[in-house]
Amino acid sequence: MKPNLERIPGNRDWVAQAILARAPQRVDQGFLDSLDPSASLALGRYGVRLATLALRETSIELLRRSLLATALAWCLQPEDERDVMVALALPWIVAQRLGASPATVFGTVADGLPDGPISTLMKDFGARKDITLAAFGWDLLATTDGPDFRPLL
């Protein structure tokens, strides 16, 4: 399987960037209602791609943007909680590798979301201590451009 940055298209990153640029400090239902549900795919892809870039650039700010994009995608198009946790494993590992507390990084982003299942899941997942890439079906590999992730399946 190809690494994430190679297999996940970034051609709609601009959509996610525009949404994040106008997102309020505290996202509310009105903001979510202003978004086209079709933006979920662009936000989700951008979130995954940004987690890798955060690792490459050792940037907590990029990691927070990754989590916000991912959370907004799930707010627009809810998914099975297990699928959400598989995706959250990447930013959890990136936070840890950057020397940050995953609980703090996830909690900060979750605090800016409307109360509900997504913010609760992010806080709970960020506080976990048992996260490994292999347990969630991921592998970290070295590429010529820097580290990247790929699914094991």
Side-chain angles (χ1 to χ4, degrees):
M1 177 88 46
K2 293 179 182 178
N4 281 351
L5 291 182
E6 188 178 332
R7 72 182 184 83
I8 299 172
N11 59 331
R12 299 210 11 110
D13 285 357
W14 66 272
V15 172
Q17 290 166 345
I19 290 169
L20 293 180
R22 67 183 186 87
Q25 281 285 90
R26 172 94 170 131
V27 173
D28 58 19
Q29 193 58 48
F31 177 74
L32 292 174
D33 291 343
S34 76
L35 301 176
D36 186 327
S38 69
S40 175
L41 183 60
L43 285 162
R45 287 178 173 173
Y46 186 67
V48 172
R49 292 170 47 76
L50 217 50
T52 299
L53 295 175
L55 178 61
R56 287 182 179 182
E57 296 180 25
T58 63
S59 172
I60 296 296
E61 183 53 35
L62 286 181
L63 182 60
R64 285 189 190 109
R65 290 177 60 79
S66 165
L67 282 168
L68 179 57
T70 302
L72 291 175
W74 296 323
C75 287
L76 293 175
Q77 295 286 331
E79 293 186 30
D80 184 294
E81 191 173 278
R82 293 167 294 189
D83 293 333
V84 175
M85 289 189 289
V86 168
L88 288 178
L90 296 182
W92 194 99
I93 293 295
V94 171
Q96 186 182 57
R97 287 183 171 261
L98 296 181
S101 160
T104 301
V105 175
F106 278 65
T108 300
V109 174
D111 286 343
L113 298 172
D115 292 334
I118 297 302
S119 63
T120 300
L121 177 60
M122 287 186 66
K123 286 179 183 178
D124 292 347
F125 194 85
R128 289 180 62 168
K129 304 285 187 213
D130 63 337
I131 307 303
T132 66
L133 289 173
F136 285 86
W138 292 103
D139 187 25
L140 178 64
L141 63 146
T143 71
T144 56
D145 296 320
D148 203 341
F149 299 97
R150 70 173 170 205
L152 291 173
L153 301 176

